[in-house]
């Protein structure tokens, strides 16, 4: 609400609310909030045109931020101080504030870049681990596939061998049966020929006996 009133240039009302907020923060021992409060006062007085009060609060805010290790807050205070010093015709003080702000900005940028690089390295490591896991999974799947293919090929060889053995046994049995049948046929033929020869001999003898009697 205080900032809203500030933008509406209702400075007295905004100041009263900021003082109430500061009192609450003092009671709760909110160190960060008290440092931030100095920045709010500085913004209020700068917008209000009370340059000296604004400089005093931005200096206090910068000191609190430096002691608490809040570089972005100190950078903001130094940038506002540079504007205020320049407006007061104090180029040396303005230049010192600008330089301090640039140093803080560079440190924040380096910190951000370092954090970004660290995050990228962590992402790369995670991606490499995921890729390695995927490769291991693919290798395991390939080994399993090769195992199944090997077992399938072995089963085909065994089944083919059994079929070949059965066909061979059937062929051998058929050949043996054919040989037995041929042997039996040859025996029957020999018996038939012997019987026929005996019949012819008997017929001839009978014919010769009858001829002699006549």
């Amino acid at each position: 609400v205080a900032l809203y009133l500030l933008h509406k240039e209702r400075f007295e009302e905004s100041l009263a609310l900021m003082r109430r907020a500061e009192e609450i923060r003092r009671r709760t021992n909110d160190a960060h909030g008290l440092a931030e409060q100095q920045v709010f006062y500085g913004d209020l007085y700068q917008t209000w045109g009370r340059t000296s009060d604004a400089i005093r609060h931005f200096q206090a805010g910068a000191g609190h931020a430096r002691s608490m290790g809040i570089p972005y807050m100190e950078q903001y205070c130094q940038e506002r101080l540079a504007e205020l010093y320049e407006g007061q015709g104090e180029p040396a003080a303005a230049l010192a504030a600008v330089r301090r702000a640039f140093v803080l900005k560079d440190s924040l940028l380096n910190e951000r870049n370092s954090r970004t690089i660290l995050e990228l390295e962590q992402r790369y490591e995670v991606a490499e681990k995921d890729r390695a896991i995927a490769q291991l999974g693919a290798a395991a799947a390939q080994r399993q596939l090769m195992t199944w293919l090997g077992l399938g090929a072995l089963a085909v060889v065994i089944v083919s061998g059994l079929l070949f053995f059965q066909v061979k046994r059937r062929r051998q049995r058929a050949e043996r049966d054919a040989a037995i049948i041929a042997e039996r046929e040859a025996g029957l033929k020999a018996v038939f020929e012997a019987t026929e020869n005996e019949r012819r001999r008997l017929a001839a003898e009978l014919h010769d006996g009858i001829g002699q009697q006549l």
Side-chain angles (χ1 to χ4, degrees), residues 12-157:
E12 295 287 353
E13 297 173 67
S14 179
L15 178 60
L17 289 175
M18 286 185 184
R19 285 174 175 169
R20 286 173 58 187
E22 182 182 11
E23 182 62 29
I24 293 170
R25 285 173 168 171
R26 287 190 186 282
R27 276 188 238 157
T28 57
N29 198 24
D30 182 4
H32 186 279
L34 289 171
E36 199 174 45
Q37 197 68 45
Q38 297 300 316
V39 179
F40 292 154
Y41 281 133
D43 286 334
L44 169 65
Y45 287 125
Q46 184 178 13
T47 306
W48 200 344
R50 295 169 58 172
T51 302
S52 297
D53 291 329
I55 289 174
R56 177 167 54 87
H57 283 288
F58 279 128
Q59 286 175 338
H64 284 304
R66 190 179 306 115
S67 63
M68 295 175 65
I70 312 174
Y72 70 88
M73 185 183 293
E74 185 185 355
Q75 179 194 345
Y76 180 81
C77 291
Q78 294 294 346
E79 288 173 348
R80 300 291 79 74
L81 285 169
E83 294 172 353
L84 291 165
Y85 285 135
E86 186 179 6
Q88 277 193 330
E90 299 181 48
L95 181 59
V98 167
R99 285 175 175 171
R100 178 62 184 166
F102 274 132
V103 169
L104 291 167
K105 187 175 182 179
D106 287 342
S107 68
L108 286 171
L109 182 60
N110 290 334
E111 181 182 354
R112 189 178 300 112
N113 288 340
S114 298
R115 191 163 52 245
T116 301
I117 291 171
L118 180 60
E119 289 176 357
L120 290 173
E121 289 177 347
Q122 290 174 345
R123 289 179 187 175
Y124 175 76
E125 290 177 0
V126 170
E128 283 296 301
K129 288 179 181 178
D130 290 341
R131 188 172 65 84
I133 291 171
Q135 287 179 343
L136 289 174
Q142 186 175 9
R143 285 196 299 271
Q144 186 175 11
L145 177 61
M146 295 303 294
T147 301
W148 283 112
L149 289 175
L151 291 174
L154 180 61
V156 170
V157 170

Side-chain angles (χ1 to χ4, degrees), residues 150-164:
L151 291 174
L154 180 61
V156 170
V157 170
I158 292 173
V159 171
S160 299
L162 290 173
L163 290 175
F164 176 78

